[in-house]
Amino acid sequence: IHAYNLSGTRTVCTAEVIGPGSYVFEPPGNTDWWRITGEEEMTALVGVMGAVEFLRPGGVVTARADAASQLRAYRAWCAEHGVRELDRAE
């Protein structure tokens, strides 16, 4: 995972505060958490190679996201809101 903060701040599990212009690399197998901190909305550009698994205590996988699942979610959102998909040729 490659994440670049565009605006706002988030605090990661190491107590490091990630602000606008900050870059974070998460290697394969990394387990972490973060939360949005501060008053401003946080926007990040995130590139994921592979899948992200969301865990609950005990390491139980509660959800998994990858390129295919995110594309399905995007297409469903567009259909629900009557918006043309930007990745489709006319």
Side-chain angles (χ1 to χ4, degrees):
I1 296 175
H2 300 269
Y4 182 76
N5 260 54
L6 300 172
S7 64
T9 58
R10 59 190 173 114
T11 301
V12 296
C13 58
T14 61
E16 181 182 4
V17 177
I18 309 299
S22 295
Y23 166 81
V24 174
F25 171 71
E26 297 179 23
N30 181 62
T31 301
D32 69 358
W33 59 264
W34 56 268
R35 68 177 176 271
I36 298 171
T37 52
E39 298 299 317
E40 185 180 358
E41 288 187 15
M42 195 278 297
T43 303
L45 174 63
V46 180
V48 178
M49 308 302 173
V52 174
E53 293 182 328
F54 298 89
L55 308 175
R56 71 175 190 220
V60 176
V61 176
T62 60
R64 187 172 197 270
D66 60 18
S69 69
Q70 296 308 101
L71 181 57
R72 284 191 303 273
Y74 166 71
R75 288 181 170 161
W77 185 93
C78 288
E80 179 182 336
H81 292 88
V83 175
R84 182 179 64 85
E85 296 175 29
L86 297 178
D87 63 334
R88 296 258 175 136
E90 290 290 314

